[in-house]
Amino acid sequence: MFGVFESGKGNSVKKFECFHPVSAGFFFLSMLLITVFSSFPLIQIFSLAGGIAFDITLRKGRGVLRDLLFDALFFAAVAISNPLFVHNGATPLFFMNGNAVTAEALLCGVSLGITLVAALVWFRCFNAVMTSDKLLFLFARLSPKISILLSSTLRFVPLFKNQAKKIRAAQKTMGLYSSESIADRLKGSLRVYSALLTWALENAVDTAASMKGRGFGLSGRTYYSDYRFGAGDVLLTAFCAAADALVASASAAGRLDFSFYPVLRWGGTDALTFAASAVFLALSFAPFIFEKKEAVKWRCYRLKI
């Protein structure tokens, strides 16, 4: 079941989407925790590169360029704003309004921008892979309220974007937005927001009533799922656990420490540093490698037909 299956509409199920929710969720949790809490530049760069490669493989042309452009602008804003507000560091580049803009503050802004963009990219991949039924499977037995909250939150953004487009299109057919002035655009946006807010409240009430009528949250309720924890899930979970342990060991030994102020300092490089970086590089690009391997396999199968 770990292949790429073509549907009649041309959609495809990716290999990573076929993993068990536990193994896939553990992978994303490992990536996000290491990305956010590690200050080592190689770890940050590997995480960002692996996330972008996986994101491109998952979605291909469906808004990837737009999201990458937003990521680039967001990274630039973070990298530039940090040295403008933080003036620590021993290497001034130039002075602005009597305050030094230092190289250390600039590099710290670059590092912070890479971390934030990498986390954002991995959250996009998480949203694409971990569907609402997988989240319900993971959390329903522990807490039905948390599971429905997470699934509803992930569903919120695309659902409301589509509804906003429908409302705007309906208003255009009514003759609105005839002027290109800023005031007309602002009024139109307020009308869309008002209609969208009303729709959201009504939809929330209907959803709550429907869930209550179907017995959601009642004690003794059973949950159905057809997920099976296979050999691939065991390998992925074991690899994630080994990578987490190795990176944690290197961090505890101080080999992944990196500070920017007052000057650049790091914990040194040795075999443990290179081993942790190499394993994390493999972990970051594991989904991309899975997808490319399956794509090549199925291309060979088609050529044999």
Side-chain angles (χ1 to χ4, degrees):
M1 189 175 174
F2 291 157
V4 181
F5 303 94
E6 301 295 336
S7 67
K9 296 181 180 180
N11 298 324
S12 62
V13 178
K14 300 298 184 180
K15 176 181 177 63
F16 209 82
E17 295 175 350
C18 297
F19 278 104
H20 195 275
V22 172
S23 58
F26 184 51
F27 168 81
F28 284 113
L29 180 63
S30 300
M31 289 301 306
L32 288 171
L33 288 179
I34 295 176
T35 299
V36 171
F37 290 104
S38 177
S39 60
F40 197 64
L42 281 180
I43 296 294
Q44 298 171 346
I45 294 173
F46 291 162
S47 177
L48 177 61
I52 291 177
F54 186 33
D55 190 27
I56 294 175
T57 305
L58 279 177
R59 301 187 298 155
K60 294 184 178 179
R62 294 178 294 178
V64 176
L65 294 179
R66 182 181 66 250
D67 289 337
L68 291 179
L69 178 60
F70 171 80
D71 294 340
L73 294 176
F74 180 65
F75 165 78
V78 174
I80 294 174
S81 62
N82 188 73
L84 297 180
F85 294 98
V86 179
H87 306 290
N88 299 330
T91 310
L93 298 176
F94 57 91
F95 289 85
M96 179 178 294
N97 297 328
N99 296 315
V101 177
T102 64
E104 290 80 8
L106 179 61
L107 292 176
C108 183
V110 171
S111 175
L112 181 60
I114 292 176
T115 300
L116 294 177
V117 172
L120 182 63
V121 172
W122 281 113
F123 268 117
R124 281 205 300 263
C125 298
F126 176 86
N127 190 25
V129 173
M130 300 298 291
T131 55
S132 58
D133 59 325
K134 294 181 180 180
L135 292 176
L136 286 172
F137 172 81
L138 288 176
F139 296 101
R141 299 181 186 276
L142 298 176
S143 176
K145 293 182 180 180
I146 294 179
S147 64
I148 196 63
L149 176 63
L150 290 174
S151 61
S152 299
T153 302
L154 293 177
R155 183 173 175 262
F156 174 85
V157 176
L159 182 65
F160 275 45
K161 286 174 63 176
N162 293 334
Q163 186 65 22
K165 291 179 181 179
K166 293 179 181 179
I167 295 173
R168 185 177 294 273
Q171 291 189 358
K172 283 185 177 181
T173 59
M174 296 169 60
L176 303 177
Y177 304 100
S178 58
S179 175
E180 295 296 331
S181 64
I182 298 178
D184 181 70
R185 292 181 179 179
L186 181 60
K187 291 180 180 178
S189 300
L190 290 176
R191 284 193 296 265
V192 172
Y193 175 76
S194 177
L196 185 62
L197 181 61
T198 303
W199 174 85
L201 294 175
E202 294 177 352
N203 188 58
V205 173
D206 293 340
T207 303
S210 176
M211 292 173 60
K212 183 178 180 181
R214 297 179 183 182
F216 183 83
L218 294 178
S219 59
R221 185 186 180 193
T222 59
Y223 299 91
Y224 168 78
S225 73
D226 57 351
Y227 296 112
R228 298 294 182 268
F229 203 83
D233 299 296
V234 174
L235 293 176
L236 178 61
T237 305
F239 183 55
C240 291
D244 293 343
L246 187 57
V247 172
S249 299
S251 298
R255 294 298 181 266
L256 298 182
D257 292 342
F258 198 94
S259 61
F260 295 90
Y261 306 117
V263 294
L264 300 181
R265 290 181 297 183
W266 56 92
T269 55
D270 57 5
L272 183 59
T273 306
F274 288 114
S277 301
V279 170
F280 184 75
L281 174 63
L283 182 66
S284 301
F285 279 89
F288 176 75
I289 295 173
F290 289 155
E291 303 298 344
K292 288 302 179 181
K293 180 181 177 181
E294 287 297 310
V296 172
K297 182 188 297 184
W298 280 90
R299 190 176 296 113
C300 294
Y301 287 159
R302 292 191 184 97
L303 293 177
K304 293 180 180 179
I305 298 176

